């Protein structure tokens, strides 16, 4: 299962953080959309 995410340049929402959280919830990966 995958999820599309849109990280913002400010704050702590980095692609690496999304990937860690997705793995923690059982996702196989994320698609980072710009």
């Amino acid at each position: 299962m995958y999820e599309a995410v849109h990280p913002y340049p400010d704050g702590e929402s980095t692609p690496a953080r999304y990937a860690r959280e997705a793995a923690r919830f059982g996702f196989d990966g994320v698609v980072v959309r710009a």
Side-chain angles (χ1 to χ4, degrees):
M1 177 168 50
Y2 286 81
E3 182 64 33
V5 296
H6 182 87
Y8 292 97
D10 55 344
E12 298 180 17
S13 298
T14 64
R17 184 172 183 175
Y18 277 118
R20 270 194 314 273
E21 289 299 309
R24 189 168 76 100
F25 287 105
F27 285 85
D28 297 315
V30 295
V31 175
V32 178
R33 296 175 48 169

